[in-house]
Amino acid sequence: MNFRKIEHIGIAVADLEKSNQLFKKLFGKEHFKTEIVEGEGVETSFFQVGETKVELLQATRHDSPIAKYLEKKSEGVHHLAFDVEDIHAEVGRLKREGFEILNETPKEGADNKLVVFLHPRSTNGVLVELCQEKK
Ligand SMILES: CC[C@H](C(=O)O)C(=O)SCCNC(=O)CCNC(=O)[C@H](O)C(C)(C)COP(=O)(O)OP(=O)(O)OC[C@H]1O[C@@H](n2cnc3c(N)ncnc32)[C@H](O)[C@@H]1OP(=O)(O)O
Ligand SMILES: [Co+2]
């Protein structure tokens, strides 16, 4: 089975604490964790919403993808992440299908995941992230 569900919706924010308060009001509950992902230069905060999650992302470095994104665009939905059972098999399948893989070797993600990103120019302008639960 390929994409099993939306694992999370990534939202780029300028001020994580402020956005945590905003989404706490929206969802009526607290975030369940925050986590810094050094490799991406981001601090993340997660809200569980039924079967899926909302991931707030703040840049921790000026050269992070989130910092670059917010230099050009306003806060908002940054990416869609999908849960996959076998990320290596999916990378091979998507490559064969002609999608542009940004990192063929899965990298460390937040919340105990291995992740791969597809370039938005190959996915109708949507930054797509594949997530596999680390065993
Ligand atoms: C892994 C930790 C955590 C997790 O879930 O576990 C995360 O999710 S971390 C999330 C942050 N990390 C990433 O986003 C890694 C993948 N992203 C990238 O490699 C870059 O951001 C990339 C390639 C998407 C854009 O790179 P860059 O900013 O250098 O290029 P441009 O600004 O020139 O953009 C090129 C082109 O893409 C459009 N663009 C950029 N970002 C997005 C986006 N988030 N969604 C949709 N489109 C995007 C940008 O508008 C340009 O399009 P153009 O038509 O040329 O204007
Ligand atoms: Co993400």
Side-chain angles (χ1 to χ4, degrees):
M1 191 177 178
N2 308 113
F3 288 22
R4 298 191 296 191
K5 68 171 184 174
I6 292 178
E7 208 289 325
H8 62 264
I9 298 168
I11 298 177
V13 300
D15 179 333
L16 197 59
E17 194 33 53
K18 199 166 140 222
S19 293
N20 269 339
Q21 294 314 310
L22 177 68
F23 281 87
K24 176 184 169 188
K25 269 192 260 178
L26 180 69
F27 296 136
K29 63 179 184 179
E30 295 272 356
H31 61 285
F32 66 87
K33 76 184 298 188
T34 60
E35 184 178 347
I36 288 178
V37 182
E38 284 300 341
E40 292 299 310
V42 295
E43 181 171 8
T44 62
S45 174
F46 285 93
F47 290 81
Q48 188 73 40
V49 183
E51 278 294 298
T52 193
K53 291 176 260 183
V54 167
E55 174 191 66
L56 305 181
L57 300 125
Q58 178 185 299
T60 56
R61 295 195 308 258
H62 73 280
D63 62 344
S64 108
I66 296 299
K68 281 197 75 173
Y69 181 85
L70 291 175
E71 280 167 16
K72 299 175 190 164
K73 300 174 193 272
S74 51
E75 295 178 301
V77 174
H78 178 261
H79 62 274
L80 288 185
F82 297 92
D83 172 66
V84 296
E85 191 167 11
D86 181 340
I87 200 163
H88 292 283
E90 279 305 286
V91 167
R93 182 181 73 81
L94 294 168
K95 239 178 111 180
R96 289 191 299 277
E97 293 282 7
F99 290 96
E100 189 177 339
I101 315 285
L102 285 164
N103 60 296
E104 292 198 17
T105 305
K107 53 187 173 181
E108 289 291 321
D111 207 24
N112 195 42
K113 300 285 184 300
L114 288 175
V115 302
V116 164
F117 287 91
L118 308 184
H119 200 295
R121 63 177 160 238
S122 64
T123 48
N124 251 153
V126 178
L127 179 58
V128 168
E129 177 184 354
L130 309 181
C131 295
Q132 177 186 309
E133 187 80 28
K134 278 199 278 193
K135 295 199 175 34

PDB file of all heavy atoms in Angstrom, residues 106-118:
ATOM      1  N   PRO A 106      16.503   8.814   2.745  1.00  0.00           N
ATOM      2  CA  PRO A 106      15.637   9.375   3.788  1.00  0.00           C
ATOM      3  C   PRO A 106      16.464  10.040   4.889  1.00  0.00           C
ATOM      4  O   PRO A 106      17.565   9.574   5.199  1.00  0.00           O
ATOM      5  CB  PRO A 106      14.889   8.150   4.312  1.00  0.00           C
ATOM      6  CG  PRO A 106      14.899   7.176   3.174  1.00  0.00           C
ATOM      7  CD  PRO A 106      16.219   7.391   2.492  1.00  0.00           C
ATOM      8  N   LYS A 107      15.920  11.151   5.421  1.00  0.00           N
ATOM      9  CA  LYS A 107      16.639  11.833   6.503  1.00  0.00           C
ATOM     10  C   LYS A 107      15.789  11.851   7.767  1.00  0.00           C
ATOM     11  O   LYS A 107      14.613  11.527   7.737  1.00  0.00           O
ATOM     12  CB  LYS A 107      17.033  13.257   6.083  1.00  0.00           C
ATOM     13  CG  LYS A 107      15.930  14.143   5.570  1.00  0.00           C
ATOM     14  CD  LYS A 107      16.525  15.458   5.029  1.00  0.00           C
ATOM     15  CE  LYS A 107      15.479  16.320   4.355  1.00  0.00           C
ATOM     16  NZ  LYS A 107      16.047  17.585   3.806  1.00  0.00           N
ATOM     17  N   GLU A 108      16.442  12.230   8.854  1.00  0.00           N
ATOM     18  CA  GLU A 108      15.767  12.266  10.154  1.00  0.00           C
ATOM     19  C   GLU A 108      14.652  13.316  10.153  1.00  0.00           C
ATOM     20  O   GLU A 108      14.897  14.473   9.805  1.00  0.00           O
ATOM     21  CB  GLU A 108      16.780  12.668  11.254  1.00  0.00           C
ATOM     22  CG  GLU A 108      17.811  11.602  11.564  1.00  0.00           C
ATOM     23  CD  GLU A 108      17.204  10.375  12.260  1.00  0.00           C
ATOM     24  OE1 GLU A 108      16.331  10.550  13.113  1.00  0.00           O
ATOM     25  OE2 GLU A 108      17.592   9.271  11.885  1.00  0.00           O
ATOM     26  N   GLY A 109      13.460  12.872  10.531  1.00  0.00           N
ATOM     27  CA  GLY A 109      12.371  13.827  10.700  1.00  0.00           C
ATOM     28  C   GLY A 109      11.995  13.932  12.163  1.00  0.00           C
ATOM     29  O   GLY A 109      12.623  13.296  13.023  1.00  0.00           O
ATOM     30  N   ALA A 110      10.981  14.714  12.458  1.00  0.00           N
ATOM     31  CA  ALA A 110      10.480  14.839  13.837  1.00  0.00           C
ATOM     32  C   ALA A 110       9.593  13.634  14.137  1.00  0.00           C
ATOM     33  O   ALA A 110       9.212  12.881  13.230  1.00  0.00           O
ATOM     34  CB  ALA A 110       9.682  16.129  13.966  1.00  0.00           C
ATOM     35  N   ASP A 111       9.281  13.484  15.418  1.00  0.00           N
ATOM     36  CA  ASP A 111       8.303  12.483  15.874  1.00  0.00           C
ATOM     37  C   ASP A 111       8.632  11.068  15.394  1.00  0.00           C
ATOM     38  O   ASP A 111       7.767  10.325  14.921  1.00  0.00           O
ATOM     39  CB  ASP A 111       6.897  12.905  15.374  1.00  0.00           C
ATOM     40  CG  ASP A 111       5.790  12.373  16.302  1.00  0.00           C
ATOM     41  OD1 ASP A 111       6.087  12.107  17.476  1.00  0.00           O
ATOM     42  OD2 ASP A 111       4.660  12.197  15.820  1.00  0.00           O
ATOM     43  N   ASN A 112       9.935  10.749  15.449  1.00  0.00           N
ATOM     44  CA  ASN A 112      10.423   9.389  15.208  1.00  0.00           C
ATOM     45  C   ASN A 112      10.173   8.892  13.766  1.00  0.00           C
ATOM     46  O   ASN A 112       9.719   7.763  13.523  1.00  0.00           O
ATOM     47  CB  ASN A 112       9.767   8.412  16.204  1.00  0.00           C
ATOM     48  CG  ASN A 112      10.497   7.069  16.253  1.00  0.00           C
ATOM     49  OD1 ASN A 112      11.723   7.037  16.252  1.00  0.00           O
ATOM     50  ND2 ASN A 112       9.746   5.977  16.222  1.00  0.00           N
ATOM     51  N   LYS A 113      10.441   9.788  12.818  1.00  0.00           N
ATOM     52  CA  LYS A 113      10.177   9.437  11.417  1.00  0.00           C
ATOM     53  C   LYS A 113      11.456   9.528  10.561  1.00  0.00           C
ATOM     54  O   LYS A 113      12.351  10.304  10.861  1.00  0.00           O
ATOM     55  CB  LYS A 113       9.156  10.418  10.809  1.00  0.00           C
ATOM     56  CG  LYS A 113       7.800  10.442  11.498  1.00  0.00           C
ATOM     57  CD  LYS A 113       6.978   9.227  11.164  1.00  0.00           C
ATOM     58  CE  LYS A 113       5.583   9.315  11.782  1.00  0.00           C
ATOM     59  NZ  LYS A 113       5.579   9.420  13.245  1.00  0.00           N
ATOM     60  N   LEU A 114      11.450   8.779   9.476  1.00  0.00           N
ATOM     61  CA  LEU A 114      12.383   8.997   8.370  1.00  0.00           C
ATOM     62  C   LEU A 114      11.582   9.709   7.289  1.00  0.00           C
ATOM     63  O   LEU A 114      10.423   9.329   7.038  1.00  0.00           O
ATOM     64  CB  LEU A 114      12.915   7.659   7.839  1.00  0.00           C
ATOM     65  CG  LEU A 114      13.911   6.920   8.741  1.00  0.00           C
ATOM     66  CD1 LEU A 114      14.244   5.560   8.136  1.00  0.00           C
ATOM     67  CD2 LEU A 114      15.173   7.753   8.954  1.00  0.00           C
ATOM     68  N   VAL A 115      12.184  10.721   6.663  1.00  0.00           N
ATOM     69  CA  VAL A 115      11.407  11.548   5.721  1.00  0.00           C
ATOM     70  C   VAL A 115      12.132  11.769   4.406  1.00  0.00           C
ATOM     71  O   VAL A 115      13.373  11.771   4.331  1.00  0.00           O
ATOM     72  CB  VAL A 115      11.048  12.919   6.351  1.00  0.00           C
ATOM     73  CG1 VAL A 115      10.248  12.747   7.639  1.00  0.00           C
ATOM     74  CG2 VAL A 115      12.282  13.779   6.583  1.00  0.00           C
ATOM     75  N   VAL A 116      11.332  11.946   3.354  1.00  0.00           N
ATOM     76  CA  VAL A 116      11.806  12.303   2.012  1.00  0.00           C
ATOM     77  C   VAL A 116      10.873  13.404   1.496  1.00  0.00           C
ATOM     78  O   VAL A 116       9.678  13.392   1.793  1.00  0.00           O
ATOM     79  CB  VAL A 116      11.739  11.075   1.072  1.00  0.00           C
ATOM     80  CG1 VAL A 116      11.847  11.483  -0.391  1.00  0.00           C
ATOM     81  CG2 VAL A 116      12.832  10.062   1.418  1.00  0.00           C
ATOM     82  N   PHE A 117      11.440  14.348   0.739  1.00  0.00           N
ATOM     83  CA  PHE A 117      10.614  15.431   0.177  1.00  0.00           C
ATOM     84  C   PHE A 117      10.625  15.358  -1.351  1.00  0.00           C
ATOM     85  O   PHE A 117      11.655  14.989  -1.951  1.00  0.00           O
ATOM     86  CB  PHE A 117      11.156  16.800   0.625  1.00  0.00           C
ATOM     87  CG  PHE A 117      10.884  17.107   2.066  1.00  0.00           C
ATOM     88  CD1 PHE A 117      11.813  16.767   3.053  1.00  0.00           C
ATOM     89  CD2 PHE A 117       9.704  17.728   2.457  1.00  0.00           C
ATOM     90  CE1 PHE A 117      11.565  17.037   4.389  1.00  0.00           C
ATOM     91  CE2 PHE A 117       9.442  18.010   3.795  1.00  0.00           C
ATOM     92  CZ  PHE A 117      10.377  17.658   4.765  1.00  0.00           C
ATOM     93  N   LEU A 118       9.518  15.732  -1.963  1.00  0.00           N
ATOM     94  CA  LEU A 118       9.408  15.845  -3.419  1.00  0.00           C
ATOM     95  C   LEU A 118       9.351  17.333  -3.767  1.00  0.00           C
ATOM     96  O   LEU A 118       8.700  18.115  -3.074  1.00  0.00           O
ATOM     97  CB  LEU A 118       8.132  15.162  -3.921  1.00  0.00           C
ATOM     98  CG  LEU A 118       7.869  13.711  -3.479  1.00  0.00           C
ATOM     99  CD1 LEU A 118       6.608  13.185  -4.167  1.00  0.00           C
ATOM    100  CD2 LEU A 118       9.050  12.818  -3.773  1.00  0.00           C
TER     101      LEU A 118
END
